[in-house]
Amino acid sequence: QVQFVESGGGLVQPGGSLRLSCAASRSIYRIYVMGWYRQAPGKQREVVAQITNDGGTNYTDSVKGRFSIARDNAKRTVYLQMNSLKPEDTAVYYCNIPTRPSPWGQGTQVTVSS
């Protein structure tokens, strides 16, 4: 199974930006869909964004127009650019394969607070 290591989180003020990275332990060329998820305290994990191998993207309504997902198969990395961050975006962010999940990684903490 492929393993994922997420990074790039941190503390940011409302309105700020962060870019998350998800490094895979092996090639993701044949993984058609990759996704970013988040889990806020006391809430279930939810999918935030997905990207296909041919560039198709999908976002949950609450992040549309603010977040952008991208992938670089050659670098085995998936990115999540987060702009105009809000306090409600505070969560641990993970990446995984929506159709065939691997064990979850450690995630990366994003805290949006003034």
Side-chain angles (χ1 to χ4, degrees):
Q1 282 180 315
V2 61
Q3 296 178 323
F4 301 106
V5 178
E6 301 88 353
S7 62
L11 173 63
V12 63
Q13 292 187 341
S17 298
L18 284 173
R19 188 194 193 202
L20 307 183
S21 297
C22 166
S25 61
R26 62 170 178 79
S27 173
I28 60 172
Y29 274 104
R30 295 186 177 184
I31 301 176
Y32 184 63
V33 182
M34 287 294 304
W36 275 99
Y37 300 76
R38 67 185 179 187
Q39 186 167 21
K43 295 187 177 181
Q44 288 189 334
R45 186 177 286 139
E46 63 171 345
V47 62
V48 174
Q50 300 178 70
I51 185 168
T52 64
N53 244 338
D54 51 14
T57 57
N58 188 43
Y59 300 91
T60 192
D61 286 346
S62 61
V63 308
K64 283 180 180 177
R66 300 188 298 122
F67 290 12
S68 179
I69 188 171
R71 64 191 289 171
D72 186 333
N73 288 344
K75 294 183 178 179
R76 302 182 299 179
T77 302
V78 184
Y79 303 97
L80 186 68
Q81 177 67 44
M82 305 187 298
N83 300 325
S84 302
L85 282 161
K86 304 176 180 180
E88 51 263 43
D89 295 319
T90 295
V92 180
Y93 285 71
Y94 306 85
C95 66
N96 214 323
I97 307 166
T99 54
R100 186 171 32 90
S102 289
W104 294 94
Q106 296 295 311
T108 186
Q109 175 71 48
V110 172
T111 303
V112 185
S113 175
S114 55

